[in-house]
Short mmCIF file of all heavy atoms in Angstrom, two decimals:
data_model
loop_
_atom_site.label_atom_id
_atom_site.label_comp_id
_atom_site.label_asym_id
_atom_site.label_seq_id
_atom_site.Cartn_x
_atom_site.Cartn_y
_atom_site.Cartn_z
N ASP N 203 11.31 9.01 -24.77
CA ASP N 203 11.61 7.82 -23.99
C ASP N 203 10.62 6.70 -24.30
O ASP N 203 9.46 6.95 -24.56
CB ASP N 203 11.56 8.14 -22.49
CG ASP N 203 12.80 8.83 -22.01
OD1 ASP N 203 12.96 10.04 -22.26
OD2 ASP N 203 13.61 8.16 -21.37
N ASN N 204 11.11 5.50 -24.23
CA ASN N 204 10.28 4.32 -24.43
C ASN N 204 9.47 4.09 -23.17
O ASN N 204 10.02 3.93 -22.10
CB ASN N 204 11.21 3.13 -24.72
CG ASN N 204 10.44 1.86 -24.98
OD1 ASN N 204 9.24 1.78 -24.75
ND2 ASN N 204 11.14 0.85 -25.44
N PRO N 205 8.14 4.04 -23.28
CA PRO N 205 7.32 3.84 -22.07
C PRO N 205 7.48 2.45 -21.45
O PRO N 205 7.03 2.21 -20.36
CB PRO N 205 5.89 4.07 -22.57
CG PRO N 205 5.95 3.82 -24.03
CD PRO N 205 7.34 4.21 -24.47
N ALA N 206 8.16 1.53 -22.16
CA ALA N 206 8.36 0.18 -21.64
C ALA N 206 9.77 0.01 -21.10
O ALA N 206 10.36 -1.05 -21.16
CB ALA N 206 8.07 -0.85 -22.72
N SER N 207 10.34 1.10 -20.59
CA SER N 207 11.66 1.01 -19.99
C SER N 207 11.69 1.83 -18.71
O SER N 207 10.90 2.74 -18.52
CB SER N 207 12.75 1.49 -20.96
OG SER N 207 12.62 2.87 -21.20
N VAL N 208 12.62 1.46 -17.84
CA VAL N 208 12.83 2.19 -16.59
C VAL N 208 14.24 2.74 -16.65
O VAL N 208 15.20 2.02 -16.92
CB VAL N 208 12.69 1.24 -15.37
CG1 VAL N 208 13.03 1.98 -14.09
CG2 VAL N 208 11.30 0.65 -15.31
N LYS N 209 14.37 4.04 -16.43
CA LYS N 209 15.68 4.68 -16.45
C LYS N 209 16.01 5.16 -15.05
O LYS N 209 15.20 5.79 -14.40
CB LYS N 209 15.70 5.84 -17.43
CG LYS N 209 17.10 6.37 -17.67
CD LYS N 209 17.14 7.27 -18.88
CE LYS N 209 18.57 7.61 -19.22
NZ LYS N 209 18.69 8.36 -20.44
N VAL N 210 17.22 4.82 -14.59
CA VAL N 210 17.67 5.18 -13.25
C VAL N 210 18.86 6.11 -13.41
O VAL N 210 19.83 5.78 -14.10
CB VAL N 210 18.08 3.92 -12.45
CG1 VAL N 210 18.57 4.30 -11.07
CG2 VAL N 210 16.92 2.95 -12.37
N ASN N 211 18.79 7.29 -12.79
CA ASN N 211 19.89 8.25 -12.83
C ASN N 211 20.31 8.58 -11.42
O ASN N 211 19.48 8.64 -10.52
CB ASN N 211 19.46 9.54 -13.52
CG ASN N 211 19.14 9.34 -14.97
OD1 ASN N 211 19.96 8.83 -15.73
ND2 ASN N 211 17.95 9.73 -15.36
N GLY N 212 21.59 8.82 -11.22
CA GLY N 212 22.06 9.22 -9.91
C GLY N 212 23.56 9.06 -9.78
O GLY N 212 24.25 8.73 -10.75
N MET N 213 24.05 9.28 -8.60
CA MET N 213 25.47 9.16 -8.34
C MET N 213 25.80 7.73 -7.95
O MET N 213 25.24 7.19 -7.00
CB MET N 213 25.89 10.12 -7.22
CG MET N 213 25.71 11.57 -7.58
SD MET N 213 26.66 12.09 -9.03
CE MET N 213 28.32 11.90 -8.42
N VAL N 214 26.68 7.10 -8.70
CA VAL N 214 27.10 5.73 -8.43
C VAL N 214 28.43 5.75 -7.72
O VAL N 214 29.34 6.47 -8.11
CB VAL N 214 27.22 4.93 -9.74
CG1 VAL N 214 27.72 3.53 -9.48
CG2 VAL N 214 25.89 4.89 -10.46
N THR N 215 28.54 4.97 -6.65
CA THR N 215 29.80 4.83 -5.93
C THR N 215 30.32 3.43 -6.19
O THR N 215 29.73 2.46 -5.73
CB THR N 215 29.59 5.05 -4.42
OG1 THR N 215 28.99 6.33 -4.23
CG2 THR N 215 30.91 5.00 -3.68
N GLY N 216 31.39 3.32 -6.96
CA GLY N 216 31.91 2.00 -7.30
C GLY N 216 31.03 1.32 -8.32
O GLY N 216 30.44 1.95 -9.17
N LYS N 217 30.93 0.01 -8.24
CA LYS N 217 30.13 -0.76 -9.18
C LYS N 217 28.69 -0.81 -8.69
O LYS N 217 28.42 -1.22 -7.58
CB LYS N 217 30.67 -2.17 -9.32
CG LYS N 217 32.04 -2.22 -9.97
CD LYS N 217 32.50 -3.64 -10.13
CE LYS N 217 33.86 -3.66 -10.80
NZ LYS N 217 34.37 -5.02 -10.96
N GLY N 218 27.76 -0.38 -9.54
CA GLY N 218 26.36 -0.38 -9.18
C GLY N 218 25.59 -1.40 -9.99
O GLY N 218 25.98 -1.76 -11.10
N SER N 219 24.46 -1.85 -9.45
CA SER N 219 23.58 -2.75 -10.18
C SER N 219 22.14 -2.41 -9.87
O SER N 219 21.82 -1.86 -8.82
CB SER N 219 23.86 -4.21 -9.83
OG SER N 219 23.51 -4.48 -8.50
N VAL N 220 21.27 -2.73 -10.82
CA VAL N 220 19.85 -2.52 -10.67
C VAL N 220 19.16 -3.85 -10.97
O VAL N 220 19.45 -4.48 -11.99
CB VAL N 220 19.33 -1.44 -11.65
CG1 VAL N 220 17.82 -1.28 -11.54
CG2 VAL N 220 20.02 -0.11 -11.40
N VAL N 221 18.28 -4.28 -10.08
CA VAL N 221 17.49 -5.49 -10.32
C VAL N 221 16.02 -5.16 -10.13
O VAL N 221 15.66 -4.27 -9.36
CB VAL N 221 17.89 -6.67 -9.40
CG1 VAL N 221 19.32 -7.08 -9.65
CG2 VAL N 221 17.66 -6.36 -7.95
N VAL N 222 15.17 -5.88 -10.85
CA VAL N 222 13.72 -5.74 -10.71
C VAL N 222 13.18 -7.11 -10.34
O VAL N 222 13.50 -8.12 -10.97
CB VAL N 222 13.07 -5.24 -12.02
CG1 VAL N 222 11.56 -5.16 -11.87
CG2 VAL N 222 13.63 -3.88 -12.39
N THR N 223 12.35 -7.13 -9.28
CA THR N 223 11.70 -8.36 -8.85
C THR N 223 10.19 -8.15 -8.87
O THR N 223 9.71 -7.02 -8.77
CB THR N 223 12.12 -8.78 -7.43
OG1 THR N 223 11.74 -7.76 -6.50
CG2 THR N 223 13.63 -9.00 -7.34
N ASP N 224 9.46 -9.27 -8.98
CA ASP N 224 8.01 -9.17 -8.84
C ASP N 224 7.66 -9.16 -7.36
O ASP N 224 8.55 -9.19 -6.50
CB ASP N 224 7.30 -10.26 -9.62
CG ASP N 224 7.57 -11.67 -9.11
OD1 ASP N 224 8.09 -11.83 -7.99
OD2 ASP N 224 7.24 -12.63 -9.84
N VAL N 225 6.38 -9.12 -7.04
CA VAL N 225 5.97 -9.01 -5.64
C VAL N 225 6.31 -10.25 -4.81
O VAL N 225 6.37 -10.17 -3.58
CB VAL N 225 4.46 -8.68 -5.51
CG1 VAL N 225 4.17 -7.29 -6.03
CG2 VAL N 225 3.61 -9.72 -6.21
N THR N 226 6.59 -11.37 -5.47
CA THR N 226 6.97 -12.59 -4.74
C THR N 226 8.47 -12.67 -4.52
O THR N 226 8.96 -13.57 -3.86
CB THR N 226 6.52 -13.86 -5.49
OG1 THR N 226 7.27 -13.97 -6.71
CG2 THR N 226 5.04 -13.84 -5.77
N GLY N 227 9.23 -11.70 -5.09
CA GLY N 227 10.68 -11.71 -4.95
C GLY N 227 11.41 -12.37 -6.11
O GLY N 227 12.63 -12.44 -6.11
N LYS N 228 10.67 -12.84 -7.11
CA LYS N 228 11.29 -13.48 -8.28
C LYS N 228 11.98 -12.43 -9.14
O LYS N 228 11.40 -11.41 -9.48
CB LYS N 228 10.22 -14.20 -9.10
CG LYS N 228 10.76 -14.86 -10.35
CD LYS N 228 9.64 -15.51 -11.14
CE LYS N 228 10.17 -16.01 -12.47
NZ LYS N 228 9.08 -16.49 -13.34
N LEU N 229 13.24 -12.70 -9.49
CA LEU N 229 14.02 -11.79 -10.34
C LEU N 229 13.45 -11.78 -11.74
O LEU N 229 13.28 -12.84 -12.36
CB LEU N 229 15.48 -12.24 -10.37
CG LEU N 229 16.44 -11.38 -11.17
CD1 LEU N 229 16.61 -10.02 -10.53
CD2 LEU N 229 17.78 -12.08 -11.30
N VAL N 230 13.11 -10.59 -12.25
CA VAL N 230 12.54 -10.48 -13.59
C VAL N 230 13.37 -9.60 -14.52
O VAL N 230 13.11 -9.55 -15.71
CB VAL N 230 11.08 -9.97 -13.54
CG1 VAL N 230 10.18 -10.97 -12.85
CG2 VAL N 230 10.98 -8.61 -12.88
N GLY N 231 14.38 -8.92 -14.00
CA GLY N 231 15.24 -8.09 -14.83
C GLY N 231 16.44 -7.61 -14.04
O GLY N 231 16.38 -7.47 -12.82
N THR N 232 17.55 -7.38 -14.74
CA THR N 232 18.75 -6.91 -14.06
C THR N 232 19.63 -6.10 -15.00
O THR N 232 19.65 -6.35 -16.21
CB THR N 232 19.55 -8.10 -13.48
OG1 THR N 232 20.66 -7.59 -12.74
CG2 THR N 232 20.06 -9.03 -14.55
N VAL N 233 20.31 -5.12 -14.44
CA VAL N 233 21.36 -4.37 -15.13
C VAL N 233 22.56 -4.41 -14.19
O VAL N 233 22.51 -3.85 -13.10
CB VAL N 233 20.95 -2.90 -15.41
CG1 VAL N 233 22.11 -2.14 -16.03
CG2 VAL N 233 19.73 -2.83 -16.29
N THR N 234 23.62 -5.10 -14.59
CA THR N 234 24.77 -5.22 -13.72
C THR N 234 25.80 -4.14 -13.96
O THR N 234 26.68 -3.92 -13.14
CB THR N 234 25.44 -6.60 -13.87
OG1 THR N 234 25.76 -6.80 -15.25
CG2 THR N 234 24.54 -7.70 -13.39
N THR N 235 25.71 -3.44 -15.09
CA THR N 235 26.64 -2.37 -15.38
C THR N 235 25.89 -1.04 -15.42
O THR N 235 25.00 -0.87 -16.25
CB THR N 235 27.34 -2.59 -16.73
OG1 THR N 235 27.98 -3.86 -16.70
CG2 THR N 235 28.37 -1.51 -17.00
N VAL N 236 26.23 -0.17 -14.51
CA VAL N 236 25.66 1.17 -14.49
C VAL N 236 26.76 2.11 -14.97
O VAL N 236 27.78 2.24 -14.32
CB VAL N 236 25.17 1.56 -13.07
CG1 VAL N 236 24.62 2.97 -13.07
CG2 VAL N 236 24.13 0.56 -12.57
N GLU N 237 26.56 2.72 -16.14
CA GLU N 237 27.58 3.58 -16.73
C GLU N 237 27.13 5.03 -16.73
O GLU N 237 25.96 5.31 -16.96
CB GLU N 237 27.89 3.13 -18.16
CG GLU N 237 28.47 1.73 -18.23
CD GLU N 237 28.73 1.29 -19.66
OE1 GLU N 237 28.48 2.08 -20.59
OE2 GLU N 237 29.19 0.16 -19.83
N ASN N 238 28.07 5.92 -16.49
CA ASN N 238 27.80 7.37 -16.51
C ASN N 238 26.63 7.74 -15.61
O ASN N 238 25.79 8.56 -15.96
CB ASN N 238 27.56 7.86 -17.94
CG ASN N 238 28.76 7.64 -18.83
OD1 ASN N 238 29.90 7.79 -18.40
ND2 ASN N 238 28.51 7.26 -20.06
N ASN N 239 26.56 7.07 -14.44
CA ASN N 239 25.51 7.34 -13.45
C ASN N 239 24.11 7.13 -14.00
O ASN N 239 23.16 7.77 -13.57
CB ASN N 239 25.64 8.77 -12.90
CG ASN N 239 26.90 8.93 -12.09
OD1 ASN N 239 27.32 8.00 -11.41
ND2 ASN N 239 27.52 10.08 -12.17
N SER N 240 23.96 6.21 -14.96
CA SER N 240 22.65 5.96 -15.56
C SER N 240 22.54 4.49 -15.96
O SER N 240 23.52 3.88 -16.37
CB SER N 240 22.46 6.85 -16.78
OG SER N 240 21.20 6.63 -17.36
N ALA N 241 21.34 3.95 -15.83
CA ALA N 241 21.06 2.59 -16.29
C ALA N 241 19.65 2.56 -16.85
O ALA N 241 18.76 3.26 -16.36
CB ALA N 241 21.18 1.59 -15.15
N GLU N 242 19.45 1.77 -17.89
CA GLU N 242 18.12 1.64 -18.47
C GLU N 242 17.79 0.16 -18.58
O GLU N 242 18.61 -0.65 -18.98
CB GLU N 242 18.06 2.30 -19.85
CG GLU N 242 16.66 2.40 -20.37
CD GLU N 242 16.52 3.39 -21.52
OE1 GLU N 242 17.44 4.19 -21.75
OE2 GLU N 242 15.48 3.36 -22.16
N LEU N 243 16.57 -0.18 -18.18
CA LEU N 243 16.14 -1.57 -18.14
C LEU N 243 14.83 -1.69 -18.92
O LEU N 243 13.86 -1.00 -18.62
CB LEU N 243 15.93 -2.01 -16.69
CG LEU N 243 15.48 -3.44 -16.46
CD1 LEU N 243 16.56 -4.41 -16.91
CD2 LEU N 243 15.19 -3.66 -14.98
N ASN N 244 14.81 -2.56 -19.93
CA ASN N 244 13.62 -2.79 -20.73
C ASN N 244 12.65 -3.66 -19.92
O ASN N 244 13.01 -4.74 -19.48
CB ASN N 244 14.00 -3.48 -22.03
CG ASN N 244 12.83 -3.66 -22.96
OD1 ASN N 244 11.67 -3.64 -22.56
ND2 ASN N 244 13.13 -3.84 -24.23
N VAL N 245 11.42 -3.18 -19.74
CA VAL N 245 10.41 -3.93 -18.99
C VAL N 245 9.21 -4.27 -19.86
O VAL N 245 8.16 -4.63 -19.35
CB VAL N 245 9.97 -3.15 -17.72
CG1 VAL N 245 11.11 -3.04 -16.73
CG2 VAL N 245 9.41 -1.78 -18.08
N SER N 246 9.37 -4.21 -21.19
CA SER N 246 8.25 -4.47 -22.09
C SER N 246 7.75 -5.90 -21.99
O SER N 246 6.57 -6.17 -22.24
CB SER N 246 8.63 -4.14 -23.53
OG SER N 246 9.69 -4.97 -23.96
N HIS N 247 8.60 -6.84 -21.59
CA HIS N 247 8.21 -8.25 -21.49
C HIS N 247 7.45 -8.57 -20.21
O HIS N 247 6.90 -9.66 -20.07
CB HIS N 247 9.46 -9.14 -21.57
CG HIS N 247 10.40 -8.96 -20.41
ND1 HIS N 247 11.22 -7.86 -20.29
CD2 HIS N 247 10.61 -9.72 -19.31
CE1 HIS N 247 11.92 -7.97 -19.17
NE2 HIS N 247 11.56 -9.09 -18.55
N LEU N 248 7.40 -7.62 -19.29
CA LEU N 248 6.73 -7.86 -18.00
C LEU N 248 5.23 -7.62 -18.10
O LEU N 248 4.77 -6.72 -18.80
CB LEU N 248 7.30 -6.94 -16.92
CG LEU N 248 8.78 -7.07 -16.62
CD1 LEU N 248 9.19 -6.06 -15.56
CD2 LEU N 248 9.12 -8.49 -16.18
N ALA N 249 4.47 -8.42 -17.38
CA ALA N 249 3.03 -8.22 -17.29
C ALA N 249 2.74 -6.95 -16.48
O ALA N 249 3.58 -6.53 -15.67
CB ALA N 249 2.38 -9.43 -16.61
N ASN N 250 1.60 -6.35 -16.69
CA ASN N 250 1.20 -5.19 -15.89
C ASN N 250 1.12 -5.59 -14.42
O ASN N 250 0.72 -6.70 -14.09
CB ASN N 250 -0.15 -4.65 -16.35
CG ASN N 250 -0.08 -4.00 -17.71
OD1 ASN N 250 1.00 -3.79 -18.26
ND2 ASN N 250 -1.23 -3.69 -18.27
N GLY N 251 1.54 -4.68 -13.55
CA GLY N 251 1.48 -4.95 -12.12
C GLY N 251 2.57 -4.24 -11.35
O GLY N 251 3.30 -3.41 -11.89
N MET N 252 2.68 -4.58 -10.08
CA MET N 252 3.66 -3.96 -9.18
C MET N 252 4.97 -4.74 -9.19
O MET N 252 4.97 -5.97 -9.20
CB MET N 252 3.13 -3.92 -7.74
CG MET N 252 1.90 -3.06 -7.55
SD MET N 252 2.21 -1.30 -7.87
CE MET N 252 3.31 -0.90 -6.55
N TYR N 253 6.07 -3.99 -9.17
CA TYR N 253 7.41 -4.57 -9.14
C TYR N 253 8.26 -3.77 -8.16
O TYR N 253 7.94 -2.63 -7.82
CB TYR N 253 8.05 -4.55 -10.53
CG TYR N 253 7.31 -5.43 -11.51
CD1 TYR N 253 6.26 -4.93 -12.27
CD2 TYR N 253 7.65 -6.77 -11.64
CE1 TYR N 253 5.57 -5.74 -13.14
CE2 TYR N 253 6.96 -7.60 -12.52
CZ TYR N 253 5.93 -7.08 -13.26
OH TYR N 253 5.24 -7.89 -14.11
N LEU N 254 9.36 -4.35 -7.74
CA LEU N 254 10.29 -3.69 -6.84
C LEU N 254 11.61 -3.51 -7.57
O LEU N 254 12.20 -4.48 -8.06
CB LEU N 254 10.50 -4.52 -5.57
CG LEU N 254 11.28 -3.86 -4.44
CD1 LEU N 254 10.54 -2.62 -3.93
CD2 LEU N 254 11.47 -4.85 -3.30
N LEU N 255 12.06 -2.27 -7.69
CA LEU N 255 13.34 -1.95 -8.32
C LEU N 255 14.34 -1.74 -7.20
O LEU N 255 14.10 -0.92 -6.31
CB LEU N 255 13.20 -0.69 -9.17
CG LEU N 255 14.40 -0.30 -9.99
CD1 LEU N 255 13.94 0.29 -11.31
CD2 LEU N 255 15.28 0.67 -9.26
N LYS N 256 15.45 -2.49 -7.23
CA LYS N 256 16.46 -2.39 -6.18
C LYS N 256 17.78 -1.93 -6.80
O LYS N 256 18.26 -2.53 -7.74
CB LYS N 256 16.68 -3.75 -5.51
CG LYS N 256 15.45 -4.30 -4.84
CD LYS N 256 15.74 -5.66 -4.24
CE LYS N 256 14.49 -6.27 -3.63
NZ LYS N 256 14.75 -7.60 -3.06
N TYR N 257 18.32 -0.85 -6.23
CA TYR N 257 19.62 -0.33 -6.66
C TYR N 257 20.64 -0.60 -5.56
O TYR N 257 20.37 -0.36 -4.38
CB TYR N 257 19.55 1.18 -6.93
CG TYR N 257 20.92 1.76 -7.11
CD1 TYR N 257 21.58 1.62 -8.33
CD2 TYR N 257 21.59 2.36 -6.07
CE1 TYR N 257 22.86 2.10 -8.49
CE2 TYR N 257 22.87 2.84 -6.22
CZ TYR N 257 23.51 2.70 -7.43
OH TYR N 257 24.78 3.16 -7.59
N THR N 258 21.81 -1.10 -5.95
CA THR N 258 22.87 -1.38 -4.99
C THR N 258 24.20 -0.93 -5.57
O THR N 258 24.50 -1.18 -6.73
CB THR N 258 22.95 -2.89 -4.69
OG1 THR N 258 21.67 -3.35 -4.26
CG2 THR N 258 23.96 -3.19 -3.60
N ASP N 259 25.01 -0.24 -4.75
CA ASP N 259 26.41 0.02 -5.11
C ASP N 259 27.25 -0.18 -3.85
O ASP N 259 26.78 -0.77 -2.87
CB ASP N 259 26.59 1.40 -5.75
CG ASP N 259 26.32 2.58 -4.82
OD1 ASP N 259 26.37 2.41 -3.58
OD2 ASP N 259 26.07 3.68 -5.33
N ASP N 260 28.49 0.27 -3.87
CA ASP N 260 29.40 0.05 -2.74
C ASP N 260 28.96 0.76 -1.46
O ASP N 260 29.40 0.41 -0.37
CB ASP N 260 30.82 0.49 -3.10
CG ASP N 260 31.43 -0.38 -4.19
OD1 ASP N 260 30.92 -1.50 -4.42
OD2 ASP N 260 32.41 0.05 -4.81
N VAL N 261 28.08 1.76 -1.59
CA VAL N 261 27.67 2.56 -0.44
C VAL N 261 26.17 2.46 -0.15
O VAL N 261 25.75 2.41 0.99
CB VAL N 261 28.06 4.05 -0.66
CG1 VAL N 261 27.56 4.93 0.46
CG2 VAL N 261 29.57 4.17 -0.80
N ARG N 262 25.36 2.43 -1.20
CA ARG N 262 23.90 2.50 -1.04
C ARG N 262 23.21 1.19 -1.42
O ARG N 262 23.69 0.42 -2.24
CB ARG N 262 23.34 3.61 -1.93
CG ARG N 262 23.55 4.98 -1.38
CD ARG N 262 22.92 6.01 -2.30
NE ARG N 262 23.55 6.02 -3.61
CZ ARG N 262 24.60 6.78 -3.91
NH1 ARG N 262 25.10 7.59 -3.02
NH2 ARG N 262 25.14 6.73 -5.09
N ASN N 263 22.03 1.04 -0.84
CA ASN N 263 21.13 -0.06 -1.16
C ASN N 263 19.73 0.51 -1.04
O ASN N 263 19.25 0.73 0.06
CB ASN N 263 21.35 -1.23 -0.21
CG ASN N 263 20.52 -2.43 -0.57
OD1 ASN N 263 19.77 -2.42 -1.55
ND2 ASN N 263 20.62 -3.47 0.24
N GLU N 264 19.07 0.79 -2.19
CA GLU N 264 17.78 1.45 -2.15
C GLU N 264 16.77 0.67 -2.98
O GLU N 264 17.12 0.02 -3.95
CB GLU N 264 17.90 2.87 -2.70
CG GLU N 264 18.95 3.67 -1.93
CD GLU N 264 18.73 5.15 -2.03
OE1 GLU N 264 17.65 5.58 -2.43
OE2 GLU N 264 19.67 5.88 -1.71
N SER N 265 15.51 0.76 -2.58
CA SER N 265 14.42 0.08 -3.29
C SER N 265 13.27 1.04 -3.50
O SER N 265 12.98 1.85 -2.64
CB SER N 265 13.93 -1.11 -2.47
OG SER N 265 14.95 -2.05 -2.25
N ILE N 266 12.61 0.91 -4.66
CA ILE N 266 11.39 1.65 -4.91
C ILE N 266 10.39 0.74 -5.59
O ILE N 266 10.76 -0.21 -6.29
CB ILE N 266 11.61 2.92 -5.78
CG1 ILE N 266 12.16 2.55 -7.16
CG2 ILE N 266 12.48 3.92 -5.09
CD1 ILE N 266 12.08 3.69 -8.15
N LYS N 267 9.11 0.99 -5.35
CA LYS N 267 8.06 0.24 -6.02
C LYS N 267 7.74 0.92 -7.34
O LYS N 267 7.69 2.15 -7.42
CB LYS N 267 6.80 0.20 -5.16
CG LYS N 267 6.94 -0.65 -3.93
CD LYS N 267 5.65 -0.65 -3.14
CE LYS N 267 5.82 -1.45 -1.87
NZ LYS N 267 4.64 -1.40 -1.01
N ILE N 268 7.54 0.11 -8.38
CA ILE N 268 7.12 0.64 -9.66
C ILE N 268 5.84 -0.10 -10.08
O ILE N 268 5.65 -1.26 -9.74
CB ILE N 268 8.21 0.53 -10.75
CG1 ILE N 268 8.66 -0.92 -10.95
CG2 ILE N 268 9.39 1.42 -10.43
CD1 ILE N 268 9.62 -1.10 -12.11
N ASN N 269 4.98 0.60 -10.80
CA ASN N 269 3.72 0.03 -11.26
C ASN N 269 3.73 0.07 -12.77
O ASN N 269 3.64 1.16 -13.36
CB ASN N 269 2.54 0.80 -10.68
CG ASN N 269 1.21 0.21 -11.07
OD1 ASN N 269 1.14 -0.91 -11.55
ND2 ASN N 269 0.15 0.96 -10.83
N LYS N 270 3.84 -1.08 -13.42
CA LYS N 270 3.79 -1.13 -14.88
C LYS N 270 2.34 -1.22 -15.31
O LYS N 270 1.60 -2.08 -14.85
CB LYS N 270 4.56 -2.31 -15.43
CG LYS N 270 4.54 -2.34 -16.94
CD LYS N 270 5.37 -3.40 -17.55
CE LYS N 270 5.38 -3.24 -19.04
NZ LYS N 270 4.60 -4.22 -19.73
N GLN N 271 1.93 -0.30 -16.19
CA GLN N 271 0.54 -0.28 -16.65
C GLN N 271 0.49 -0.49 -18.14
O GLN N 271 1.37 -0.18 -18.85
CB GLN N 271 -0.11 1.05 -16.29
CG GLN N 271 -0.17 1.26 -14.82
CD GLN N 271 -0.84 2.58 -14.45
OE1 GLN N 271 -1.05 3.43 -15.29
NE2 GLN N 271 -1.13 2.75 -13.19
#
């Protein structure tokens, strides 16, 4: 796996999307198509620090903190 990417796996209900924001809420990355219950987002262009990864589909809305080092 590429250490400069984030991979999200799970059960998708309907159309899912993944977005990454910085700590101020600024959008820094997005994947609007989640295929085969998986999405991969390249984060190599991001500076080191804390980010919030948000997953949304027709049923769920979840967020996790990620730390890029």
